[in-house]
Amino acid sequence: MTHAHITTWVVALILFVVALVLQSKGHEKTKTLHMLLRLFYVFIIATGAWILHSMSSFPFLYIIKVIVGIWVIGTMEMILVRTAKGKNTNILWLQFFVAFVVVLYLGFKLPFGFSFFS
């Protein structure tokens, strides 16, 4: 299930970038792509919940990872919506990058993930 979770994250990030590019060019299919990205948010949360469900206990750092992961999803959504409205997104980009680095670090550091930092 870890591979499914990583795959949904990668696809969601690709959809996020494509939606931003299309939105900046004023393309009319952006709304459909945004809805597809929201579906992938659900997939990310579902696969993450499945991974947590398969664990026998929930260590504190996994709970932090869940919270920061939801923070990443929230900032992605807010960046797209505020960009569509023409509002400033500088603080949201900063939050996105900080939260994304933290969630990646936790995902690779914790024992249930890959061992890049161990």
Side-chain angles (χ1 to χ4, degrees):
M1 189 50 70
T2 304
H3 293 291
H5 188 64
I6 293 170
T7 302
T8 56
W9 265 111
V10 170
V11 171
L13 287 173
I14 292 168
L15 288 173
F16 176 67
V17 170
V18 170
L20 278 173
V21 169
L22 289 178
Q23 199 172 53
S24 69
K25 294 182 179 184
H27 202 274
E28 55 208 36
K29 296 287 184 181
T30 306
K31 192 163 248 179
T32 305
L33 191 60
H34 194 170
M35 292 304 291
L36 182 63
L37 179 59
R38 288 176 178 157
L39 179 64
F40 270 87
Y41 295 156
V42 173
F43 290 157
I44 291 167
I45 292 169
T47 56
W50 189 309
I51 290 170
L52 276 179
H53 178 70
S54 67
M55 298 173 64
S56 58
S57 66
F58 302 134
F60 181 70
L61 284 179
Y62 281 105
I63 302 303
I64 297 299
K65 184 177 181 286
V66 168
I67 293 168
V68 176
I70 292 172
W71 181 21
V72 171
I73 291 171
T75 55
M76 288 169 67
E77 180 67 19
M78 287 189 288
I79 287 170
L80 279 174
V81 170
R82 289 181 66 95
T83 302
K85 292 181 178 181
K87 295 184 178 179
N88 188 3
T89 58
N90 292 338
I91 278 294
L92 292 173
W93 278 108
L94 178 65
Q95 287 183 33
F96 172 75
F97 286 120
V98 167
F100 190 71
V101 167
V102 169
V103 84
L104 276 180
Y105 176 76
L106 288 174
F108 289 136
K109 178 73 175 157
L110 292 172
F112 208 63
F114 294 105
S115 300
F116 288 132
F117 299 123
S118 298

